Amino acid sequence: MKKFNKYINTNVLFKTANLNSTSIGIKIIAGIFTSKAIAIFIGAEGLALIGNFNNFLKALQSFSTVGFYKGVVKYVGHFKENNRELSALLSTSYFVGFFATMLAAFLCYYNADFINNFLFSSNYNYAYIIEVMAIALPFYTLNIFCFSIMNGFSKYRILLVINIIGQIVGLLVTLLLIWQDKIDGALVSIAIMPALLFLITLVGILFRKSLVNLVNISNISKEMLSKLSPYSLMALTTVVALPLVMIFIRNYIIDEVGIKEAGYWEAVNRISNYYLMFINSLIALYLVPKLEAVHSKSNFRKEVFGFYKSLMPYFLGVLIVLYLLRSFVVRLIFSEEFAPAQDLFIWQFLGDFIKVMAMVIAFQFLAKKMFSHFIILETFLFVTLYFSSVYLVDVFGLKGAVMGHFFTQVLHFGIVILLFSSSLFGVISEKIED
């Protein structure tokens, strides 16, 4: 552990680290309570449908914010002392996001039946949920816009308080609605949560009333839009495409294997998401800043293998413990009904371990602004994930879905090693190309 502490104890914004770790911890706890309630009151079939709705909402929310969040956070911090540039940034991000949100909300509201059939099939009628989601969508965009500003101004204490209150209120509302209305309640809670979170955030942003005057449609800047575009393309590629691929795979499982089986697959994905949230946070906070400062292949290699040696043994240990206790974990987070999900753990865990190995290297795309490489690779991997999962489901049944995940991550790892082979294994003195 000392070795790991030595590795991460560098020039890092520890307030950001505390914010992230606390927020993620609360999200995981809230997620476990929600999963338990779904398992008890709704069951595996309902979890499959909720998984589809969650994925669709995540893709829709990313589209509505145009993927600007990380870019806005970065440039707010950069321009916070320059009102002219700050006004151009806030005006551009706000109005572009506003138009994207209105377009998405309008299309969803007036195509609710079509979306219902895509997500839930014609056997279920949750079109009214889609309409509620469309009405609540603008509140999500405003919430993310406010979050990005506060993050850029380093208002970590306020963000932490808002996150804690939001997660607690969201959890209580979700549990109440699930208890009262079962799956309808669960879907409604997911749809209205952005509005509830925005009301909480609204109280927290009163400290920056003066920023409202900086948002003006006449200050929209093509130059600022150009600065934000790479972040937008990368976010849209990942956060829109992946959830849609997951929906297609889940629908295929429902059609070819069964809706309960799709619920078991969703249960394993939820468990995977819990620990990957923490790992992603570690990489983004501690590794990416180091990679951004790296200019030689020897240093790049040192950071990557240092992270492997420091983190991966602990991560592997966690996965082994989870696998050995998989029966207990499934009963703890879900219920006995989800026992068949245990058979999916080994392939999911192997895929996740390799995924993290690949992510550590692939973050060099972000650190060195290799945006086109990142987008092309991610698109290829999403296509591979879908077709490999469909093929393997046909051959091996439900287990084929997690085998497709494993195959895709092995391919991902192989490609990033090939792309950065000279940096990882080449001559030390050569420079990494920016």
Side-chain angles (χ1 to χ4, degrees), residues 291-318:
L291 294 180
E292 288 177 339
V294 162
H295 297 290
S296 70
K297 291 183 178 181
S298 60
N299 286 336
F300 174 65
R301 180 163 53 250
K302 177 183 176 182
E303 298 300 343
V304 169
F305 287 109
F307 200 83
Y308 282 164
K309 292 176 184 177
S310 301
L311 176 69
M312 299 312 292
Y314 296 104
F315 182 44
L316 179 61
V318 170

Side-chain angles (χ1 to χ4, degrees), residues 268-312:
V268 174
N269 281 321
R270 283 196 167 215
I271 294 172
S272 171
N273 287 337
Y274 294 150
Y275 57 72
L276 284 180
M277 277 194 291
F278 180 71
I279 297 296
N280 287 336
S281 176
L282 281 179
I283 293 176
L285 285 172
Y286 302 128
L287 183 63
V288 172
K290 286 175 169 285
L291 294 180
E292 288 177 339
V294 162
H295 297 290
S296 70
K297 291 183 178 181
S298 60
N299 286 336
F300 174 65
R301 180 163 53 250
K302 177 183 176 182
E303 298 300 343
V304 169
F305 287 109
F307 200 83
Y308 282 164
K309 292 176 184 177
S310 301
L311 176 69
M312 299 312 292

Side-chain angles (χ1 to χ4, degrees), residues 35-50 178 182-183 259-260 262-264 266 334-335 337-338:
S35 296
K36 189 69 176 180
I38 292 171
I40 293 173
F41 294 105
I42 301 175
E45 293 184 12
L47 185 61
L49 299 180
I50 291 169
I178 290 175
K182 305 301 185 289
I183 187 169
I259 190 169
K260 274 198 171 186
Y264 303 150
E266 175 63 17
F334 298 99
S335 65
E337 179 190 359
F338 289 82

Side-chain angles (χ1 to χ4, degrees), residues 137-148:
L137 187 61
F139 294 102
Y140 171 82
T141 304
L142 288 171
N143 192 57
I144 291 299
F145 181 67
C146 296
F147 259 54
S148 63

Side-chain angles (χ1 to χ4, degrees), residues 320-385:
I320 291 174
V321 171
L322 285 174
Y323 181 74
L324 293 176
L325 299 177
R326 60 192 181 280
S327 177
F328 170 76
V329 170
V330 168
R331 289 199 305 272
L332 175 67
I333 300 178
F334 298 99
S335 65
E336 192 64 38
E337 179 190 359
F338 289 82
Q342 297 174 41
D343 298 334
L344 309 179
F345 273 43
I346 184 64
W347 291 106
Q348 183 70 38
F349 288 174
L350 287 173
D352 286 343
F353 184 79
I354 296 172
K355 178 179 183 176
V356 173
M357 295 278 285
M359 280 168 49
V360 171
I361 303 174
F363 262 91
Q364 183 71 344
F365 290 130
L366 309 184
K368 295 303 176 184
K369 298 180 175 59
M370 301 168 65
F371 300 126
S372 59
H373 296 75
F374 176 86
I375 293 170
I376 293 171
L377 177 59
E378 289 292 298
T379 302
F380 171 73
L381 290 173
F382 293 151
V383 173
T384 301
L385 175 62

